[in-house]
Amino acid sequence: MAIQNGQRSERAEKSLPSINTTINSIGVLGYEACSEQDTIIPLEIFKGTAMVVSGQIAPWQREVQPRDLDVRLVSMEPGVVKMQMGTQVIADSVLDDDELFDIFYVPGGVGSGALTTNDRIQKIIRRHHEAGKIIAANCSGVGIIARAGILNDEPVTCVAAVARGLRDEGHTVPENRRMWIGNPETRIWTATGSYGINGATVALVAHYFGREVGTIVSMMFDTLGGIGDVVFEETGPQFYRNAELEETFQDYFQEMLLPKPEPAE
């Protein structure tokens, strides 16, 4: 159903919860050769959300009491995180294997292929999922959470370059990919590549923090003006499909971003 600016679907009205105070912490994973856009865009939007819920950004008086929201870029090892285009950042903290975030976010990037076979990060993802936490991923980072074994038969979305590989492994990636797909029941949210991450992250914020916070954040990052009230939906807009180009990029990138797992001994 098409959604116009200023309108809202019946589905969104029913699916959006009230302010959810159980989301107190968000960890965005930083790793060697993660994508700048895939990592920094959600991190900035989540940190902007923290400023809204704490009252630091208040375009109008809200009835909800301000509270703290812990948002961090977490690295797997101490030191500098060198991203895929050479940008170097220092994470807010080093990931503790026993730490749990209410939302654990896994971005994509050319370094994601190595993490699809990294036992440590797979265990961390599974531990979050088993503890009832929310797992979100974008771009080729969806391959990392797929290899953790937490996806069921529900549809997910991802960058075109790994879509074929995930389908071959039995995952449900619609041929006409969506900008994002949220599955609140299984607590898994997936997004496409860099173009779709702004809208996907705001949609995640709107779902768990409510329409008011979602509206403020969507205006802060110009999301509402770009794609309208679809940011209040669990499923994002449909992407255009170019089968020939997608296949070319799958042939080129799939082995890098979704390498075949080593055979079990």
Side-chain angles (χ1 to χ4, degrees), residues 180-239:
W180 68 84
I181 297 178
N183 291 293
E185 294 80 11
T186 57
R187 305 171 305 283
I188 294 172
W189 291 69
T190 55
T192 50
S194 300
Y195 180 81
I197 292 169
N198 180 303
T201 308
V202 173
L204 182 62
V205 167
H207 183 86
Y208 289 104
F209 292 90
R211 186 181 180 93
E212 185 178 42
V213 171
T215 298
I216 296 171
V217 171
S218 70
M219 288 300 295
M220 287 168 56
F221 295 98
D222 225 5
T223 319
L224 194 61
I227 58 177
D229 273 13
V230 72
V231 296
F232 301 109
E233 290 280 352
E234 294 168 8
T235 301
Q238 183 172 294
F239 264 32

Side-chain angles (χ1 to χ4, degrees), residues 244-258:
E244 184 177 353
L245 271 177
E246 288 187 14
E247 185 173 357
T248 299
F249 274 73
Q250 288 157 358
D251 291 341
Y252 186 82
F253 281 110
Q254 184 172 310
E255 188 57 35
M256 178 196 305
L257 301 177
L258 196 69

Side-chain angles (χ1 to χ4, degrees), residues 3 24 145-146 164 253:
I3 301 175
N24 295 314
I145 69 169
R164 181 181 66 190
F253 281 110

Side-chain angles (χ1 to χ4, degrees), residues 88-252:
Q88 298 185 41
V89 300
I90 302 293
D92 297 308
S93 64
V94 177
L95 185 61
D96 185 331
D97 290 3
D98 295 325
E99 191 169 20
L100 285 172
F101 294 94
D102 294 321
I103 298 177
F104 188 61
Y105 195 103
V106 182
V110 297
S112 63
L115 292 196
T116 64
T117 58
N118 183 296
D119 185 60
R120 179 189 172 201
I121 197 61
Q122 301 299 319
K123 287 180 179 177
I124 289 172
I125 291 168
R126 285 193 292 270
R127 193 168 61 83
H128 274 81
H129 185 63
E130 289 164 2
K133 305 302 182 181
I134 298 152
I135 304 292
N138 66 43
C139 196
S140 58
V142 178
I144 300 172
I145 69 169
R147 289 283 176 81
I150 66 170
L151 301 184
N152 297 313
D153 295 331
E154 72 267 16
V156 296
T157 192
C158 59
V159 71
V162 300
R164 181 181 66 190
L166 289 176
R167 292 183 191 114
D168 290 345
E169 293 183 12
H171 300 292
T172 305
V173 183
E175 292 290 340
N176 295 318
R177 294 172 298 122
R178 294 285 182 163
M179 188 177 288
W180 68 84
I181 297 178
N183 291 293
E185 294 80 11
T186 57
R187 305 171 305 283
I188 294 172
W189 291 69
T190 55
T192 50
S194 300
Y195 180 81
I197 292 169
N198 180 303
T201 308
V202 173
L204 182 62
V205 167
H207 183 86
Y208 289 104
F209 292 90
R211 186 181 180 93
E212 185 178 42
V213 171
T215 298
I216 296 171
V217 171
S218 70
M219 288 300 295
M220 287 168 56
F221 295 98
D222 225 5
T223 319
L224 194 61
I227 58 177
D229 273 13
V230 72
V231 296
F232 301 109
E233 290 280 352
E234 294 168 8
T235 301
Q238 183 172 294
F239 264 32
Y240 290 104
R241 185 179 177 222
N242 189 314
E244 184 177 353
L245 271 177
E246 288 187 14
E247 185 173 357
T248 299
F249 274 73
Q250 288 157 358
D251 291 341
Y252 186 82

